[in-house]
Amino acid sequence: MTTAASASFQLNAAAPDTLSVSGALTFVTAANALSAITSAVAGNGHTQLDLSGIRHSDSAGLACVLAVLSKAAEQGRRLHVRNVPEGMRVLAQVCEVDSLLA
């Protein structure tokens, strides 16, 4: 079941506790992705954010994921990120925020 889509990223909630993100998380898509992911997580009780379908990300994509985690924490929810793409993981290490993705 697709819960949101744009030209560059898609959200899929096929598993009850997992929201899968695919496509691109970049400067172009980050604001829309943040809104869509935050709404989907808040509305459906997802506990897992699966990034295995991300084909391209940049610093805005990393910021988007960190903001989603922060918003979930503000709501008293623990959201686990799975399958962080290598480029995003490297960027998180360089920025010294990789522990936030664990």
Side-chain angles (χ1 to χ4, degrees), residues 39-92:
S39 293
V41 168
N44 296 313
H46 300 295
T47 59
Q48 307 273 334
L49 184 63
D50 183 359
L51 303 179
S52 61
I54 296 298
R55 69 182 183 323
H56 180 69
S57 66
D58 57 22
S59 60
L62 174 60
C64 173
V65 171
L66 294 175
V68 167
L69 293 174
S70 177
K71 287 183 182 287
E74 287 173 4
Q75 298 171 349
R77 302 171 74 155
R78 177 77 169 124
L79 185 62
H80 301 277
V81 181
R82 297 187 341 206
N83 303 311
V84 177
E86 184 61 24
M88 185 181 286
R89 185 173 303 284
V90 169
L91 183 58

Side-chain angles (χ1 to χ4, degrees), residues 15-33:
D17 66 339
T18 302
L19 181 65
S20 299
V21 184
S22 60
L25 284 180
T26 65
F27 286 103
V28 173
T29 63
N32 289 336

